[in-house]
């Protein structure tokens, strides 16, 4: 994870503090293009379903959460994918049922 604009992480931290919310639900609308078959945020699916690939992707997701928490943005829930069976013209990733199951089984315990 990186800031999309300078000071974004500070604003996210202030939002939680000001609102009194418990924390964030970190849920992906799309994995980064590196992890996808079409190398794009929009559409596509994962470029591999091997255990090694899914472990690497899971480790990257753990690093995303660690970055948020290190910067004062507690993560209280996590989701592998928003709308996993939808192929949409916006930031998304299609997961056929078996791919979602296998990915979740490997990544969620991390």
């Amino acid at each position: 994870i990186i800031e999309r604009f300078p000071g974004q992480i500070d604003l996210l931290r202030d939002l939680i503090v000001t609102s009194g919310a418990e924390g964030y639900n970190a849920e992906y609308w799309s994995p980064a293009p590196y992890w996808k078959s079409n190398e794009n945020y929009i559409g596509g699916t994962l470029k591999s379903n091997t255990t090694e690939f899914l472990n690497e992707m899971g480790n990257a997701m753990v690093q995303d959460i660690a970055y948020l928490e290190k910067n004062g943005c507690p993560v209280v829930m996590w989701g592998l994918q928003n709308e996993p069976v939808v192929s949409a013209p916006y930031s998304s990733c299609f997961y056929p049922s078996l791919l979602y199951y296998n990915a979740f089984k490997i990544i969620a315990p991390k």
Side-chain angles (χ1 to χ4, degrees):
I1 287 183
I2 58 170
E3 292 184 315
R4 292 186 182 183
F5 56 87
Q8 183 182 25
I9 196 73
D10 297 327
L11 291 173
L12 291 172
R13 182 181 50 253
D14 292 348
L15 177 67
I16 286 295
V17 171
T18 302
S19 71
E22 209 178 326
Y24 284 98
N25 172 13
E27 182 173 70
Y28 293 83
W29 280 53
S30 174
Y34 171 82
W35 304 106
K36 295 181 65 184
S37 60
N38 64 351
E39 298 184 351
N40 195 311
Y41 279 108
I42 298 171
T45 189
L46 296 183
K47 68 178 168 185
S48 176
N49 64 357
T50 67
T51 299
E52 179 182 3
F53 175 84
L54 296 173
N55 267 312
E56 288 177 30
M57 185 172 144
N59 292 339
M61 290 179 166
V62 168
Q63 289 177 352
D64 290 345
I65 292 170
Y67 174 81
L68 290 169
E69 291 184 335
K70 181 182 104 182
N71 285 283
C73 300
V75 175
V76 296
M77 294 178 68
W78 171 85
L80 175 61
Q81 178 66 39
N82 180 57
E83 302 177 330
V85 294
V86 173
S87 184
Y90 51 80
S91 186
S92 61
C93 183
F94 179 73
Y95 283 78
S97 298
L98 187 57
L99 176 58
Y100 187 86
Y101 171 79
N102 289 334
F104 192 85
K105 184 171 69 171
I106 291 170
I107 296 170
K110 293 182 175 291

